[in-house]
Structure formats: C-alpha cells, structure tokens
C-alpha cells in the first residue's frame, strides 16, 4: 500500500490555518525553540505536519526549513493565509493561488538585476505545474460544489512578498508599476517558496484577500482575521479532500 500523502502546511498566525486542530487524528507536537510543529492525520490517506511561522520572510524561511527537516516524507509544502490586494478588482474573501511569487524587497544591484534572488539566479518562482493544476482544479471543484461558501471564486496570479506591511496606496502603486500582473502582497510566501526550491520540495502559496493594501489596510486586516479564523480550515480541506488525484498519489 502506498504511504499517505504528506502535506507540510504553514501559516504566519494560528488564525490563518485555524487554531482548532481537533479534526486531526493521532495528534502530536514537537517544540523547536519558539516554534511548535504539529503532526496529525486525516483519514488513512493524508498526513499533515503544520506550524505557525510568525510574520515575515526570516520567520517563514526558518519555519519552512524546520518543518521540512522534521520529516523526509513531506510531499508538498503549502503556505496559506491572508494577503493585501494589489489587483484593484480583488475584494475581501477572494482566493488567490500563486502561479508565481517574487520577493519585492530583494535588490542586489548592481551584482544582480533588481528582484533576482542570488541563490537561484531568478526573480519569479513558479510552483510545479502538476501541483499547481491539481490545486487549482481542487479549489474550483470545491467552490462549484458549494464547499467554499463565503469565499469568492478562486483565481490565480503573481503574489509578491516582502518584509513590509503595505498600507499605503502610493507604495502599492510603485509595486504595481514594478511588477506587471501583480495580484496580491504578503510577507512570507516567496521566502517559503525559495526554501522549498532549494530543498527540492514542491510548494504552493494560497492566499485570501483581507485588505486593499491601502491606508485602511491595518483595520481591514484585523477585522478580517477574526472572521477568517473560523473559515480558514475549509480552504485547506478543499485541497486535502482531493488528495486521491494529487500528483503524488495516495493509496
Ligand atoms: N498581509 C495581509 N495584508 C497585507 C498587506 N497589506 N501587506 C503585507 N502583507 C499583508
């Protein structure tokens, strides 16, 4: 029998995954300094290793590295949580699956072009196509079946990461001008993607819009997060429920 599909799951804060893990079986946890890694399973076909990383690229990269080191069988690393809208058509509850991520605050000029990650010599990182297609289909099927009530129809696009909470329309406009096709901004995704790329593990970044990355962003973000905590798990479930057709097939 094939071993269960093993998901590595990270969010910056408990609210972004849902802090109630009672739906998982065989729960255990291990502490690594101030990081707790929870392990559990869902039915016989899915194993989960998950943690709340804290905010920002360093915390996210550290948590990703620890999580991957905690189990050699992790098949896919997913970072999920909320994001600010950069695409003005996006609203709260819109779901964006990254088809590419980049670090908007990486600038090693003149040695590398602006935004290029020296470690990988590229700026945009793209998830593996088969995992991306699987996740996109899973989300759309869940949405069409009514399993994502309250969320808007999932879409995909470029998500930019940086160590800055964007709450200023002028700053956001500069990012939009620099990064054509930009849909959302956040503070962790591309750091986790870089770690996963360097470790040779498939990754996805899945975000829900909480605010408009403008002057009202901080208030919208805080209000949204309280409501989002009750719903976050449904988005993750939409993926987990379709593990039987995931690229790394389970039993
Ligand atoms: N995460 C959620 N909203 C954000 C914003 N406006 N800027 C950066 N990260 C965010």
């Amino acid at each position: 029998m094939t071993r269960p599909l093993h998901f590595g799951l990270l969010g910056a804060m408990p609210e972004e995954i849902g802090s109630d893990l009672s739906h998982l079986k065989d729960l255990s946890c291990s502490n690594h300094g101030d990081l707790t890694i929870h392990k559990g399973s869902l039915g016989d076909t899915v194993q989960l290793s998950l943690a709340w990383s804290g905010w920002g690229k360093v915390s996210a990269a550290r948590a990703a590295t620890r999580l991957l080191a905690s189990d050699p069988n992790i098949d896919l690393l997913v970072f999920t949580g909320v994001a600010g809208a950069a695409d003005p058509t996006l609203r709260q509850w819109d779901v964006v699956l990254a088809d590419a991520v980049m670090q908007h605050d990486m600038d090693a000029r003149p040695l590398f072009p602006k935004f290029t990650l020296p470690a990988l010599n590229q700026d945009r990182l793209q998830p593996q196509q088969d995992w991306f297609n699987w996740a996109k289909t899973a989300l759309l099927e869940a949405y069409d079946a009514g399993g994502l009530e309250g969320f808007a129809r999932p879409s995909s696009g470029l998500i930019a990461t940086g160590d800055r909470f964007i709450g200023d329309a002028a700053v956001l406009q500069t990012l939009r001008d620099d990064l054509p096709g930009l849909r959302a901004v956040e503070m962790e995704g591309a750091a986790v993607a870089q770690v996963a790329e360097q470790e040779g593990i498939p990754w996805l970044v899945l975000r829900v819009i909480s605010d408009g990355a403008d002057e009202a962003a901080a208030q919208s973000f805080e209000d949204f997060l309280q409501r989002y905590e009750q719903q976050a798990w449904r988005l993750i479930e939409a993926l987990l429920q379709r593990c039987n057709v995931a690229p790394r097939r389970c039993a």
Side-chain angles (χ1 to χ4, degrees):
M1 196 175 99
T2 322
R3 67 175 170 78
L5 192 76
H6 194 150
F7 278 81
L9 187 61
L10 292 169
M13 290 179 284
E15 292 89 333
E16 293 175 284
I17 293 179
S19 51
D20 176 9
L21 301 179
S22 57
H23 37 275
L24 299 179
K25 316 188 289 187
D26 308 322
L27 263 177
S28 65
C29 69
S30 58
N31 294 312
H32 310 270
D34 63 359
L35 185 78
T36 303
I37 296 180
H38 302 267
K39 291 191 184 288
S41 51
L42 212 64
D44 296 329
T45 53
V46 182
Q47 248 188 306
L48 271 170
S49 294
L50 68 91
W52 301 300
S53 63
W55 290 32
K57 294 196 302 175
V58 173
S59 291
R62 176 271 191 135
T65 307
R66 267 289 184 193
L67 196 73
L68 292 178
S70 75
D71 199 309
N73 290 324
I74 291 176
D75 293 296
L76 173 74
L77 185 56
V78 179
F79 198 98
T80 191
V82 301
D87 173 344
T89 66
L90 290 174
R91 299 281 174 273
Q92 279 185 335
W93 296 104
D94 273 316
V95 176
V96 182
L97 178 67
D99 64 13
V101 294
M102 56 193 300
Q103 295 177 27
H104 66 71
D105 53 0
M106 174 55 77
D107 189 349
R109 289 176 296 175
L111 300 170
F112 291 86
K114 194 173 180 190
F115 305 125
T116 292
L117 304 172
L120 296 169
N121 203 19
Q122 34 181 149
D123 51 11
R124 292 184 185 219
L125 303 180
Q126 291 178 298
Q128 283 182 14
Q129 199 65 45
D130 52 355
W131 280 104
F132 173 81
N133 291 343
W134 163 76
K136 187 142 191 212
T137 304
L139 292 169
L140 289 173
E141 281 178 4
Y143 179 82
D144 290 341
L148 288 178
E149 201 192 326
F151 291 88
R153 189 175 175 79
S155 65
S156 53
L158 174 64
I159 296 181
T161 302
D163 279 322
R164 177 169 187 173
F165 184 85
I166 312 289
D168 180 325
V171 173
L172 180 62
Q173 189 55 49
T174 304
L175 287 176
R176 276 199 205 113
D177 294 342
D178 282 351
L179 306 173
L182 181 62
R183 302 210 72 214
V185 289
E186 40 86 310
M187 299 177 68
E188 296 86 18
V192 168
Q194 180 181 337
V195 169
E197 288 283 330
Q198 291 187 265
E199 295 283 323
I201 302 293
W203 57 270
L204 295 169
V205 174
L206 177 61
R207 293 288 189 172
V208 177
I209 300 300
S210 57
D211 63 85
D214 55 7
E215 285 66 12
Q219 190 62 54
S220 307
F221 170 85
E222 286 190 340
D223 296 344
F224 185 81
L225 209 58
Q226 282 184 10
R227 288 180 285 145
Y228 187 59
E229 181 168 16
Q230 322 306 323
Q231 309 302 329
W233 187 255
R234 287 200 294 134
L235 195 60
I236 294 154
E237 230 175 9
L239 296 180
L240 300 182
Q241 280 173 349
R242 281 151 183 86
C243 80
N244 58 325
V245 288
R248 154 66 185 84
R249 291 180 69 86
C250 50

